Short mmCIF file of all heavy atoms in Angstrom, two decimals:
data_model
loop_
_atom_site.label_atom_id
_atom_site.label_comp_id
_atom_site.label_asym_id
_atom_site.label_seq_id
_atom_site.Cartn_x
_atom_site.Cartn_y
_atom_site.Cartn_z
N ILE X 96 15.42 2.25 2.16
CA ILE X 96 16.11 2.71 1.01
C ILE X 96 15.06 3.40 0.17
O ILE X 96 14.01 2.87 -0.08
CB ILE X 96 16.61 1.57 0.18
CG1 ILE X 96 17.65 0.78 1.12
CG2 ILE X 96 17.35 1.98 -1.08
CD1 ILE X 96 17.59 -0.73 0.95
N PHE X 97 15.33 4.66 -0.18
CA PHE X 97 14.33 5.43 -0.85
C PHE X 97 14.75 5.93 -2.22
O PHE X 97 15.84 6.40 -2.43
CB PHE X 97 13.95 6.70 0.04
CG PHE X 97 12.96 7.63 -0.65
CD1 PHE X 97 11.70 7.22 -0.85
CD2 PHE X 97 13.36 8.92 -1.01
CE1 PHE X 97 10.74 8.06 -1.55
CE2 PHE X 97 12.39 9.75 -1.63
CZ PHE X 97 11.15 9.32 -1.84
N PHE X 98 13.87 5.82 -3.16
CA PHE X 98 14.01 6.32 -4.57
C PHE X 98 12.93 7.41 -4.80
O PHE X 98 11.75 7.12 -4.75
CB PHE X 98 13.81 5.21 -5.64
CG PHE X 98 14.80 4.14 -5.65
CD1 PHE X 98 14.62 2.95 -4.89
CD2 PHE X 98 15.93 4.22 -6.50
CE1 PHE X 98 15.55 1.96 -4.97
CE2 PHE X 98 16.85 3.22 -6.51
CZ PHE X 98 16.68 2.07 -5.75
N GLN X 99 13.41 8.63 -5.03
CA GLN X 99 12.38 9.67 -5.42
C GLN X 99 12.26 9.65 -6.97
O GLN X 99 12.97 10.34 -7.67
CB GLN X 99 12.83 11.10 -4.98
CG GLN X 99 11.68 12.04 -5.24
CD GLN X 99 12.01 13.47 -4.78
OE1 GLN X 99 13.11 13.73 -4.21
NE2 GLN X 99 11.05 14.36 -4.96
N ARG X 100 11.38 8.76 -7.42
CA ARG X 100 11.27 8.47 -8.85
C ARG X 100 9.79 8.05 -9.17
O ARG X 100 9.04 7.74 -8.28
CB ARG X 100 12.20 7.38 -9.25
CG ARG X 100 13.61 7.52 -8.89
CD ARG X 100 14.48 7.90 -10.05
NE ARG X 100 14.64 6.75 -10.92
CZ ARG X 100 15.58 5.75 -10.72
NH1 ARG X 100 16.32 5.80 -9.68
NH2 ARG X 100 15.67 4.76 -11.55
N ASP X 101 9.51 8.07 -10.45
CA ASP X 101 8.29 7.46 -10.91
C ASP X 101 8.57 5.95 -10.91
O ASP X 101 9.60 5.47 -11.33
CB ASP X 101 8.04 7.99 -12.36
CG ASP X 101 6.68 7.52 -12.93
OD1 ASP X 101 6.47 6.24 -12.81
OD2 ASP X 101 5.98 8.30 -13.45
N ILE X 102 7.55 5.13 -10.50
CA ILE X 102 7.82 3.77 -10.38
C ILE X 102 8.16 3.12 -11.73
O ILE X 102 8.82 2.07 -11.82
CB ILE X 102 6.73 2.94 -9.69
CG1 ILE X 102 5.40 2.94 -10.51
CG2 ILE X 102 6.46 3.38 -8.31
CD1 ILE X 102 4.57 1.70 -10.26
N ASN X 103 7.69 3.71 -12.78
CA ASN X 103 7.97 3.18 -14.10
C ASN X 103 9.43 3.40 -14.54
O ASN X 103 9.90 2.73 -15.46
CB ASN X 103 7.13 3.95 -15.16
CG ASN X 103 5.65 3.46 -15.02
OD1 ASN X 103 5.39 2.26 -15.13
ND2 ASN X 103 4.80 4.37 -14.74
N ASP X 104 10.12 4.26 -13.87
CA ASP X 104 11.52 4.48 -14.20
C ASP X 104 12.51 3.69 -13.34
O ASP X 104 13.68 3.80 -13.46
CB ASP X 104 11.85 5.97 -14.01
CG ASP X 104 10.98 6.85 -14.94
OD1 ASP X 104 10.46 6.32 -15.92
OD2 ASP X 104 10.78 8.04 -14.60
N VAL X 105 11.94 2.85 -12.49
CA VAL X 105 12.84 2.07 -11.55
C VAL X 105 12.79 0.59 -12.07
O VAL X 105 11.80 0.04 -12.21
CB VAL X 105 12.34 2.15 -10.11
CG1 VAL X 105 13.36 1.40 -9.22
CG2 VAL X 105 12.26 3.58 -9.64
N THR X 106 14.00 0.11 -12.36
CA THR X 106 14.08 -1.25 -12.88
C THR X 106 14.10 -2.26 -11.72
O THR X 106 14.57 -1.94 -10.61
CB THR X 106 15.36 -1.46 -13.75
OG1 THR X 106 16.46 -1.26 -12.93
CG2 THR X 106 15.40 -0.44 -14.93
N SER X 107 13.77 -3.52 -12.04
CA SER X 107 13.86 -4.50 -10.98
C SER X 107 15.37 -4.69 -10.57
O SER X 107 15.63 -5.01 -9.40
CB SER X 107 13.27 -5.87 -11.36
OG SER X 107 12.74 -5.81 -12.64
N GLU X 108 16.25 -4.55 -11.53
CA GLU X 108 17.64 -4.68 -11.18
C GLU X 108 18.08 -3.72 -10.18
O GLU X 108 18.72 -4.02 -9.16
CB GLU X 108 18.47 -4.47 -12.46
CG GLU X 108 19.79 -5.16 -12.43
CD GLU X 108 20.61 -4.87 -13.63
OE1 GLU X 108 20.03 -4.31 -14.61
OE2 GLU X 108 21.85 -5.19 -13.60
N GLU X 109 17.58 -2.44 -10.25
CA GLU X 109 17.95 -1.42 -9.26
C GLU X 109 17.38 -1.80 -7.90
O GLU X 109 17.95 -1.61 -6.87
CB GLU X 109 17.36 -0.06 -9.68
CG GLU X 109 18.05 0.65 -10.76
CD GLU X 109 17.37 1.96 -11.11
OE1 GLU X 109 16.38 1.89 -11.83
OE2 GLU X 109 17.85 3.03 -10.66
N LEU X 110 16.14 -2.43 -7.91
CA LEU X 110 15.51 -2.81 -6.63
C LEU X 110 16.30 -3.94 -5.98
O LEU X 110 16.55 -3.89 -4.84
CB LEU X 110 14.11 -3.17 -6.89
CG LEU X 110 13.15 -2.12 -7.34
CD1 LEU X 110 11.82 -2.62 -7.85
CD2 LEU X 110 12.94 -1.08 -6.22
N PHE X 111 16.71 -4.91 -6.79
CA PHE X 111 17.53 -5.98 -6.23
C PHE X 111 18.85 -5.46 -5.70
O PHE X 111 19.34 -5.86 -4.67
CB PHE X 111 17.77 -7.10 -7.26
CG PHE X 111 16.46 -7.84 -7.65
CD1 PHE X 111 16.18 -8.01 -9.02
CD2 PHE X 111 15.63 -8.25 -6.66
CE1 PHE X 111 14.93 -8.65 -9.28
CE2 PHE X 111 14.41 -8.97 -6.99
CZ PHE X 111 14.11 -9.13 -8.33
#
Side-chain angles (χ1 to χ4, degrees):
I96 299 141
F97 176 64
F98 291 91
Q99 187 178 1
R100 306 255 286 278
D101 187 310
I102 65 152
N103 287 303
D104 301 337
V105 182
T106 64
S107 358
E108 206 184 346
E109 283 179 283
L110 293 167
F111 294 130

